Amino acid sequence: MATEQRQYLRRCKLIVSTAGGSGLDLSGLHIKFAVKKADAQTPNTAEIRVYNVAETTVARIRKEFSRVVLQAGYESNYGVIFDGNIKQVRFGRENGTDTYIDIAAGDGDDAYNFAVVNTTLAAGAKQSDQIGAAANSMSGRGVKQGYIGDTGEGKLPRGKVMYGMARDYLRQSAEASDTSWSIQDGKLQFVPMTGVLPNQAVVLNSKTGLVGQPEQTNDGIKARCLLNPMLKIGGKVQIDEKDVAQAKLPDTAKDAQANQPADIAADGFYRLLVVEHSGDTRGNDWYSDLICLDIDATQPPNKQVKPT
C-alpha cells in the first residue's frame, strides 16, 4: 500500500533535554535547521540555529542538556525528523540586534563512538544474537533496538568471545547477512540490501508536495518535496515513472563507463537512501531533498522482491 499526505500549515517543535527527559521547549523562537540522514553506518547529523535565546537559557543549554529532538512538518503530516545527542552549542551575533545559538548534534553519536561489547556467544548463535549483544551495549548510551530485518539462519560452529567496539560487530553482522545497518532517530536498524522497511510507501507527486521534477543520476533518483517527516531511511517511496527526467545519454563509450545512471523504476517504487531536511520557521525553506534507488536495482539475478 501507499499513503498520500497533503502538505499545508507548517509546524515545528524543538526540545532540548537531559538524558532523563526533562528540558526546555524552544519552539516559539525563530529556528533554522539542516538535518542530514543516510543509509550509512556513521551517525546522522543536525545543525540547528535558534535566534535571540536569553543568556540564562543559553547557559542552561550548555550545562544541563545533552539531547535534542526536532519535530517538523505540517498539520496533517507532522513528526520527528531528528533525535540525537548535542555535541556542541555555540553562541554568536548575526547583526546589531539578533543573537543566535548553533546546536550541532549527532544521532546516536555517543553510542557509535563509545559503546563497547564484552560478552560471549555460545556455539549455535546466529547473527541476530551478535546484533542483540551489540545493541544491548548501545542501549546504555541512548540507542534502542529498532527494526531488525531477516539476518539469516546461519549458526556459529563454535563459541565466540565478543570484546570491542559495538559498531565493529554490527558491521561484521551486516556484511555476513547482506544487510545495511544504521542509527535512525535513536534506534538501531538492520534492513536487507534487497528489501525495505515494512511501512507504507510515501507517495510523491504534485498533490503531495513534490517540487520540480525528479531526475535520474549516477547516485540514484534525486527529488525535492515539501518537508515530509514520513520519509524514513530504508523506507519505500513511490514516484511515477513519467515524472522522472531521464539522464542524458553519454556521447562516447568512455563516458558510458564513467556514467551509469540509476534505474528508473517501472512500478515507481524506490528505497530511500538519503534525505536532507531543511527549514526556516520564518523563511521560505521547508523542504526534503532525497536520493532513492529502484528497489529491484539491488536484486540478485533471477530474484525479484515485490513491494508489499
Side-chain angles (χ1 to χ4, degrees), residues 184-223:
Q184 303 296 334
D185 297 325
K187 293 183 179 181
L188 174 69
Q189 71 176 34
F190 271 71
V191 182
M193 296 297 290
T194 57
V196 290
L197 291 174
N199 56 356
Q200 291 183 322
V202 177
V203 178
L204 294 181
N205 55 43
S206 59
K207 295 180 180 180
T208 61
L210 187 65
V211 177
Q213 186 174 23
E215 59 179 325
Q216 180 188 31
T217 73
N218 289 3
D219 295 326
I221 306 302
K222 291 186 176 181

Side-chain angles (χ1 to χ4, degrees), residues 29-30 50-54 58 95 97-101 282:
L29 300 173
H30 180 192
V50 188
Y51 286 89
N52 299 320
V53 182
V58 174
N95 52 48
T97 57
D98 294 319
T99 62
Y100 63 83
I101 58 169
R282 298 183 188 176

